[in-house]
Amino acid sequence: MISLFSFPLDSAARDSYYELYLPYDDTPHGYLLEETVDKMPWTNRFTVQHEHPRRVIVHDTSEGKDTSKAVNEAFAEVINDCVDRKLFHLLDGKHSEPFAILGANYPAYLERFAAALFGTMQCGASMVCYTNTPEGMKLWIPRRAAHLYTGANMLDTTVAGGVKAGAAPLETLIREADEEASLPEDLVRRLVRARGVLTCMQTTGPEFKGEKGLVLPDVNYVYDMELPEGVTPKPHDEEVKDYYCMSVPDVQAALLNREFKEGPALVVVDFLMRHNIITPETEPEYVDISMHLHRRLPFRIAPSKGR
């Protein structure tokens, strides 16, 4: 499992990690654990600097002719080796879709499963669907399938997905709404409402199946959708076991009992805050929670100005 709010707000925490640097860029783009650095099968496309400030530096073997291609090939070579040799539990011996390194000054990609090993920014889109009833608001909450690597059998947001390289958050959400919840595209486009973005930073905790202590900086675009009478989400792929129409008190109880997967729990907490259910009057740690949901992340989320 992931430890909620587990990465300190104090900037001094960076001293515990190796910082990831891309060519022609003097700002870091990820945090790597010492254990990851020691185990990673680095090639001559990288330099590892063990003295402080500790760094992993990617080289441009194209010498400026095609930096993007050189960087992506460097990552792919190392990750392919990791998958083939099953060096990291997190990779599960599988390849995954390419995810952009947010903030890179040129197109740079990592496989999704490997992003946590390099501690790079990840990007997702999440939607909470709800229905207003005579008994009050009810949320449509799915239970994740038992075979999933993360959060098996746990509760989730109605729809969620990682934003692949080159994709837009809304288009990601529309695709996932059909695949996960059987919600048609025309309905989602008509009723979905963008509600902001969460910027969170967590680490994998002791109950996580893979490596512990991996850094997970995350940008998550959040959406709400009120479903009309008669419309209910239904499982459409193998990732969702079932959907429940849960009252707000039941959702709150499930959050307190840690029945939600950690990332989705943050999205649901944000939903409850925005809908005036969690308020400063009812939650003593309201300000602290808000700060962790909208924290300043240590890495850029867009290319440098002028690039």
Side-chain angles (χ1 to χ4, degrees):
M1 296 174 70
I2 297 167
S3 301
L4 297 182
F5 308 143
S6 57
F7 196 91
L9 289 171
D10 185 355
S11 61
R14 64 189 293 182
D15 294 337
S16 302
Y17 302 91
Y18 285 73
E19 294 180 321
L20 176 67
Y21 282 82
L22 302 178
Y24 318 119
D25 195 335
D26 58 2
T27 60
H29 287 273
Y31 287 158
L32 293 89
L33 289 173
E34 182 176 347
E35 304 94 292
T36 303
V37 172
D38 291 342
K39 199 173 183 179
M40 192 71 67
W42 302 113
T43 67
N44 60 6
R45 297 173 185 257
F46 296 85
T47 291
V48 179
Q49 178 178 301
H50 294 289
E51 65 276 8
H52 284 277
R54 300 188 297 180
R55 297 180 174 184
V56 172
I57 304 166
V58 189
H59 297 303
D60 178 10
T61 54
S62 77
E63 298 181 346
K65 295 177 182 177
D66 195 338
T67 303
S68 177
K69 180 180 179 182
V71 168
N72 294 330
E73 287 180 347
F75 283 125
E77 184 177 5
V78 169
I79 293 169
N80 287 343
D81 197 7
C82 289
V83 173
D84 292 344
R85 294 165 57 186
K86 295 180 169 56
L87 294 179
F88 294 97
H89 194 287
L90 175 72
L91 299 180
D92 200 25
K94 301 174 184 176
H95 288 286
S96 49
E97 64 268 38
F99 268 39
I101 298 179
L102 300 182
N105 288 328
Y106 34 77
Y109 310 112
L110 283 172
E111 289 192 20
R112 180 183 184 183
F113 295 168
L117 294 173
F118 293 87
T120 55
M121 295 273 289
Q122 300 189 46
C123 183
S126 300
M127 177 170 67
V128 176
C129 292
Y130 64 96
T131 301
N132 284 310
T133 74
E135 296 80 33
M137 177 190 289
K138 294 189 177 182
L139 279 60
W140 288 97
I141 301 296
R143 186 171 299 281
R144 295 167 61 83
H147 70 271
L148 296 178
Y149 184 87
T150 59
N153 288 314
M154 301 192 79
L155 301 180
D156 206 333
T157 52
T158 315
V159 174
V163 179
K164 300 177 184 179
L170 179 58
E171 299 308 314
T172 296
L173 197 67
I174 289 171
R175 183 188 69 248
E176 296 291 344
D178 174 56
E179 293 178 359
E180 295 181 356
S182 307
L183 295 173
E185 177 179 346
D186 60 341
L187 176 80
V188 178
R189 287 193 184 277
R190 180 164 52 90
L191 298 179
V192 71
R193 298 293 181 266
R195 298 303 189 194
V197 62
L198 304 185
T199 51
C200 304
M201 196 158 178
Q202 304 159 270
T203 58
T204 53
E207 297 181 24
F208 181 66
K209 288 168 61 176
E211 286 70 22
K212 321 304 179 192
L214 300 175
V215 181
L216 306 173
D218 182 65
V219 172
N220 197 342
Y221 294 89
V222 291
Y223 298 81
D224 294 351
M225 188 165 74
E226 180 179 357
L227 295 182
E229 184 178 355
V231 176
T232 61
K234 298 179 179 64
H236 191 199
D237 60 15
E238 297 180 353
E239 295 189 8
V240 174
K241 182 184 296 185
D242 202 358
Y243 278 95
Y244 310 120
C245 189
M246 297 177 64
S247 69
V248 168
D250 286 345
V251 169
Q252 291 175 297
L255 285 168
L256 291 173
N257 291 333
R258 300 183 70 86
E259 296 177 43
F260 277 86
K261 186 173 181 283
E262 292 78 2
L266 302 182
V267 175
V268 174
V269 168
D270 172 70
F271 177 92
L272 296 177
M273 293 175 79
R274 289 187 288 100
H275 286 263
N276 203 39
I277 295 165
I278 296 176
T279 69
E281 291 70 35
T282 62
E283 175 51 63
E285 299 182 18
Y286 187 90
V287 173
D288 193 44
I289 293 171
S290 183
M291 288 175 62
H292 280 284
L293 292 176
H294 305 94
R295 65 183 295 173
R296 185 175 182 85
L297 298 173
F299 312 125
R300 289 199 313 262
I301 61 173
S304 297
K305 293 181 180 180
R307 294 291 301 194

